[in-house]
Amino acid sequence: MERILSGYRPTGMIHLGNYFGSLVNWIKLQSEYDCYFEVADYHALTTYYQHTDELPDYKLEMARDWLAAGLSPDKATIFIQSLVPEHAELHVLLSMLVPVPWLERNPTVKEMIRDMNLQGNVTYGLLGYPVLQAADILIYKAKCVPVGQDQLPHIELAREIAKRFNHLYGETFPVPEPILSQHPKVPGIDGRKMSKSLQNAIFIRDTYEDIEKKVYQAFTDPKKIRLGDPGHPEGCVVFAYHNLVNKDEIAQIETDCRSGKLGCVECKKRCAHAIYEFFTPVREKLQNFTLEKTKEILVEGSRKARKVAQATLEEVKERMHLK
Ligand code: SF4
């Protein structure tokens, strides 16, 4: 089977954007590819280096969400990035051959800097984030990387780095290909991309009350003010959520919104209910994955991942005449 690498920064719990943007795809891919999924804690430091006290909890809780949602250690290698320190060493080696302009023009990093108001406070680590991501992929010689549209520039950079390394030191790395997620970006309640840092996210572990509160604040068609007004579901955040979790009713909701028969208050109530119900099985399965069990799975996955990473790093050092 061809190998895949993907991961998430442990900066909080899993939200709808993570779930539909990546996790659903990972769960499908784990039966079709040799999958490596990382809890990317080094990456978390690129923007959360001042708040590391929450990192241990987030690492375990995020992995619990993955497991409860359906990722299986019997099918995929699930590991913690910092338990495989070879990622950091390959990052240093690759950083020697990456021109700074390649990093400065990366639109994904630019977007992150803008969304998180980091202008004037960009660290060396944040600028080099895509090089670390390339190291993550290349250390497992992954051929494919499942990503959302917004991550494509990172993969393009990983491809350029792989090609440059192969050109300089001899054929070592496969040039990775992206596998695009079928789901478009999931909007946050304010209509921007759903993100923990933008505080516009609905989490799969949210209580019904939390979900209801968030959905009631969600952006809808501004021209639909009262029951009876015809609505335009395209561009309505609530409709986008219905489309993810309420497939059986989506056609009727669209018809009733357009005709004015359905009001936004009722529509939001049904949406909150549908979101909560959709994730009930995941919340129930969380009980099967205690913190202790989750930790065991991550340690075992990291041990397995490390063997592969060590072999690649040895080869890289030989190619670079460091051995
Ligand atoms: S009725 Fe529903 S889909 Fe239509 S605008 Fe209101 S919230 Fe959006």
Side-chain angles (χ1 to χ4, degrees):
M1 284 201 282
E2 287 187 342
R3 188 169 288 159
I4 272 181
L5 180 286
S6 197
Y8 253 107
R9 304 191 318 147
T11 53
M13 304 299 160
I14 292 292
H15 56 61
L16 268 66
N18 307 138
Y19 182 85
F20 290 105
S22 304
L23 203 45
V24 170
N25 202 22
W26 291 3
I27 292 162
K28 180 173 161 280
L29 293 171
Q30 68 181 342
S31 304
E32 300 165 10
Y33 291 84
D34 177 18
C35 290
Y36 282 66
F37 297 122
E38 71 171 353
V39 176
D41 53 351
Y42 285 154
H43 282 286
L45 297 177
T46 56
T47 52
Y48 288 85
Y49 57 90
Q50 290 162 311
H51 307 288
T52 54
D53 48 335
E54 291 173 325
L55 207 47
D57 284 347
Y58 282 158
K59 285 197 265 195
L60 286 179
E61 294 295 352
M62 186 177 77
R64 281 184 76 213
D65 281 349
W66 291 358
L67 294 164
L71 276 196
S72 166
D74 297 332
K75 295 179 178 171
T77 305
I78 305 167
F79 67 99
I80 295 181
Q81 187 184 29
S82 64
L83 290 184
V84 187
E86 287 73 16
H87 285 242
E89 193 168 352
L90 184 60
H91 172 224
V92 169
L93 298 177
L94 295 180
S95 71
M96 304 303 166
L97 39 132
V98 178
V100 172
W102 284 12
L103 304 173
E104 286 175 331
R105 66 173 177 244
N106 185 305
T108 310
V109 173
K110 279 187 188 165
E111 193 179 306
M112 206 166 166
I113 292 166
R114 187 199 61 215
D115 288 347
M116 297 184 76
N117 290 320
L118 294 171
Q119 296 88 345
N121 195 21
V122 178
T123 61
Y124 174 62
L126 179 58
L127 192 64
Y129 181 116
V131 185
L132 179 56
Q133 201 170 56
D136 297 342
I137 299 164
L138 300 181
I139 204 147
Y140 299 105
K141 298 194 175 187
K143 287 210 175 127
C144 307
V145 186
V147 284
Q149 190 79 29
D150 58 331
Q151 292 287 311
L152 277 179
H154 285 339
I155 305 309
E156 194 45 50
L157 190 66
R159 289 170 55 80
E160 290 306 314
I161 293 173
K163 284 185 211 164
R164 186 163 218 180
F165 188 99
N166 292 345
H167 174 72
L168 289 168
Y169 305 110
E171 212 52 44
T172 308
F173 297 118
V175 178
E177 296 285 343
I179 302 178
L180 263 183
S181 162
Q182 295 306 311
H183 275 289
K185 273 187 193 175
V186 178
I189 57 172
D190 57 3
R192 293 183 288 171
K193 182 189 171 190
M194 188 175 283
S195 159
K196 284 163 248 187
S197 50
L198 296 178
Q199 300 184 333
N200 63 3
I202 297 175
F203 299 94
I204 65 177
R205 286 201 215 175
D206 274 348
T207 62
Y208 178 75
E209 289 71 27
D210 285 339
I211 295 172
E212 193 178 39
K213 206 165 131 196
K214 290 177 184 178
V215 172
Y216 271 56
Q217 294 166 8
F219 181 81
T220 59
D221 175 6
K223 291 189 180 143
K224 185 168 167 60
I225 296 164
R226 55 184 69 85
L227 183 64
D229 290 345
H232 304 83
E234 59 281 355
C236 170
V237 164
V238 178
F239 187 75
Y241 297 157
H242 273 297
N243 200 24
L244 294 169
V245 299
N246 200 8
K247 294 271 184 217
D248 292 347
E249 292 186 42
I250 193 71
Q252 193 62 50
I253 288 168
E254 180 170 4
T255 305
D256 292 349
C257 168
R258 289 192 191 283
S259 71
K261 187 178 166 193
L262 178 64
C264 292
V265 174
E266 171 63 18
C267 187
K268 286 177 170 181
K269 195 173 169 188
R270 281 159 63 177
C271 181
H273 185 74
I275 293 172
Y276 186 74
E277 284 299 307
F278 187 90
F279 289 110
T280 296
V282 179
R283 286 192 307 274
E284 286 174 356
K285 280 195 193 125
L286 278 169
Q287 297 165 22
N288 301 342
F289 298 99
T290 59
L291 287 177
E292 205 173 325
K293 184 166 181 187
T294 305
K295 204 169 182 178
E296 271 172 29
I297 290 170
L298 290 170
V299 167
E300 177 55 25
S302 303
R303 193 192 56 73
K304 188 179 157 204
R306 195 164 186 201
K307 276 193 185 163
V308 179
Q310 281 171 330
T312 305
L313 192 62
E314 287 298 298
E315 188 185 347
V316 165
K317 285 175 158 179
E318 270 172 29
R319 296 268 188 200
M320 295 180 86
H321 303 113
L322 292 167
K323 287 193 73 86

